[in-house]
Amino acid sequence: MSRAVCLCTQAILADLVPVRRRAKYMGAIGAVFGLSSVAGPLLGGWITDNASWRWAFWINVPLGVAALAISYFGIRLPKPDRTVRLDYLGTILMAITVTSLVLVADWGGNDLAWDSPLILSLIAVTIAGSTAFVLVERRAAEPLIAKIGRYKGFVVSGLVIVPAGVYLLSTLNADSPVQLVCAYLALLGTGMGLLMQNLVLAVQNAFPRSEVGTATSANNFFREIAATIATAAVGALFAERLTGSLSGLAPSLGGTGTDSLTPALVRSLPESVHDDEPETGTADAEAPQPFAAG
């Protein structure tokens, strides 16, 4: 729902605000988004602790009603001068392809082996669906997204700053000062700010006004898909490394395998294990060090 509201907001701005002034409005939206991402969880936690977790959801009802009323009575959008022909076949193929791809990223290597029949079938469906989608979009009267714009200036700077920020964050450890963590996060946030809203502007400017809504939604859609795949990949790597690190603690687990670990069991382990020192004494020099990253 929040993504739909965000997409509609960006599309409405493209209809109401000239290109030269649109960046100021996009910047304001980005600032509100960043503030809400920080204040929202804090407010939700406070409401849960002092009232009920249900109010963390109910509080959105009056806010949503107010936003709906303002949007309905206050926004006057230009009427389209033609009837839009929905690309039903392209939408169905895209849904099938994306669903298969997400399931592969979620199940592969976790719930199912990479060479399992279901995973291989989903990979085949993803390849076939993406191929069919491209062929259909080349012939569709009004395709879902047909071209992209050129990225320059701030976008290029963001593409340099974000990897630098990510690399610096990877150098942190449990002893890193809070000020350094905040500085690295600020650098990463600066790069993200240069990228996210400006990429939306670049996409919108590359399309005619009649296709701005479609282009904006497609940009956000593929960004979400990339985030889903990246999250699954990082989660798989983290789980693999954690399991390998914990394998060196087998004597301390009392016969319990690393796949059966629970928070209660971890809390019950000896202090020597919590301090990264195997209970049995000297560890193998080549054994992976558990929780090395803090």
Side-chain angles (χ1 to χ4, degrees):
M1 181 63 71
S2 62
R3 290 298 177 186
V5 172
C6 180
L7 293 177
C8 290
T9 302
Q10 293 171 345
I12 289 172
L13 283 179
D15 281 337
L16 297 180
V17 181
V19 175
R20 294 182 62 86
R21 299 178 55 197
R22 198 177 301 163
K24 295 191 299 182
Y25 291 85
M26 287 291 187
I29 291 177
V32 172
F33 175 81
L35 179 62
S36 301
S37 299
V38 176
L42 294 177
L43 180 60
W46 182 85
I47 292 174
T48 301
D49 290 340
N50 294 275
S52 169
W53 62 267
R54 293 177 176 84
W55 278 105
F57 300 94
W58 283 114
I59 194 176
N60 292 287
V61 175
L63 297 176
V65 171
L68 180 62
I70 294 174
S71 301
Y72 183 81
F73 294 105
I75 297 178
R76 296 291 182 268
L77 295 176
K79 295 183 179 180
D81 55 0
R82 63 187 182 85
T83 302
V84 178
R85 298 174 57 184
L86 296 179
D87 184 13
Y88 292 104
L89 182 56
T91 301
I92 294 173
L93 288 173
M94 181 177 63
I96 294 174
T97 302
V98 171
T99 300
S100 301
L101 180 61
V102 171
L103 290 178
V104 169
D106 187 30
W107 291 346
N110 295 316
D111 298 331
L112 298 172
W114 287 108
D115 57 353
S116 64
L118 181 56
I119 293 297
L120 294 177
S121 299
L122 288 173
I123 293 175
V125 171
T126 301
I127 296 174
S130 59
T131 303
F133 175 77
V134 172
L135 295 176
V136 168
E137 293 304 288
R138 290 174 63 89
R139 298 174 177 240
E142 297 189 19
L144 296 178
I145 177 165
K147 60 182 179 179
I148 59 176
R150 296 171 179 258
Y151 314 138
K152 294 183 179 179
F154 294 121
V155 175
V156 175
S157 300
L159 291 174
V160 175
I161 295 175
V162 168
V166 172
Y167 169 75
L168 291 175
L169 287 174
S170 70
T171 63
L172 297 174
N173 53 54
D175 299 324
S176 298
V178 175
Q179 296 83 351
L180 187 63
V181 176
C182 293
Y184 290 171
L185 287 174
L187 181 64
L188 179 61
T190 300
M192 294 298 296
L194 290 172
L195 280 175
M196 295 183 63
Q197 302 303 92
N198 286 315
L199 283 178
V200 175
L201 287 174
V203 171
Q204 290 180 342
N205 293 340
F207 286 82
R209 179 180 293 271
S210 60
E211 299 179 6
V212 164
T214 300
T216 304
S217 62
N219 171 72
N220 285 268
F221 172 78
F222 287 111
R223 185 170 64 190
E224 291 300 317
I225 293 300
T228 301
I229 297 174
T231 301
V234 171
L237 291 174
F238 175 80
E240 182 68 23
R241 173 140 186 208
L242 180 61
T243 301
S245 298
L246 289 176
S247 62
L249 299 177
S252 302
L253 299 180
T256 302
T258 56
D259 295 335
S260 303
L261 285 177
T262 63
L265 178 59
V266 171
R267 287 194 296 268
S268 67
L269 293 176
E271 289 297 327
S272 60
V273 177
H274 292 178
D275 296 334
D276 296 346
E277 297 177 4
E279 187 180 20
T280 55
T282 304
D284 186 352
E286 297 181 357
Q289 297 299 314
F291 309 110

